[in-house]
Amino acid sequence: MPADGRVFGPDPDGSRWQVVPVTGGSLGVLDHAAAYDPVHNVIVVHGGRLGTGRDDVSQPRDETYFLDVDTGRVTLGPRGGPKLYSHSMVFDPAGLRMLVFGGTPDG
C-alpha cells in the first residue's frame, strides 16, 4: 500500500488518536527518519522511499521536510543530503542541528 502522508496525534483529552490536518508539501514516504526540533517547534522528516504500490520498492530519497507543529504547514527543506531509508535521526541541541545515522542507500 502506498504511503498516504497522514499525520496522527492524540485528541485534546488524550483518550484517542486522530488525524491532524496538515497543508503544504508531501510527507508520503516510507522508512524515513523523523525528529523533533524544540528550538524551531518543527518535526523534521528526512529521506525514506516512496511507496509504489508494487511491493513498495523504490529508490531512496534525499528530501527533507519540515512540519510546523503550530500551523500544521509542511515545507520542503534542503535537498542534496544523503539518499537513505531505514535510518535514524536525532536533534543535537548543543549544535542546533539534525544528525543522521545508519540506514541504507540501496534501492
Side-chain angles (χ1 to χ4, degrees):
M1 172 179 293
D4 64 12
R6 291 185 294 170
V7 174
F8 294 88
D11 66 4
D13 68 7
S15 64
R16 63 186 173 86
W17 286 83
Q18 63 187 11
V19 174
V20 176
V22 296
T23 61
S26 172
L27 291 173
V29 292
L30 305 167
D31 302 326
H32 59 275
Y36 177 63
D37 171 353
V39 174
H40 300 101
N41 202 28
V42 295
I43 297 171
V44 180
V45 178
H46 174 264
R49 54 194 178 103
L50 295 177
T52 64
R54 297 177 314 232
D55 299 324
D56 286 327
V57 175
S58 65
Q59 296 295 314
R61 313 295 294 179
D62 68 348
E63 291 93 356
T64 301
Y65 291 94
F66 299 98
L67 170 58
D68 186 303
V69 174
D70 293 325
T71 66
R73 175 120 177 103
V74 177
T75 55
L76 180 62
R79 292 189 68 169
K83 292 183 178 184
L84 295 171
Y85 64 89
S86 297
H87 52 302
S88 298
M89 182 168 60
V90 297
F91 179 70
D92 168 20
L96 296 176
R97 60 187 177 168
M98 290 290 173
L99 299 174
V100 172
F101 176 78
T104 181
D106 301 324

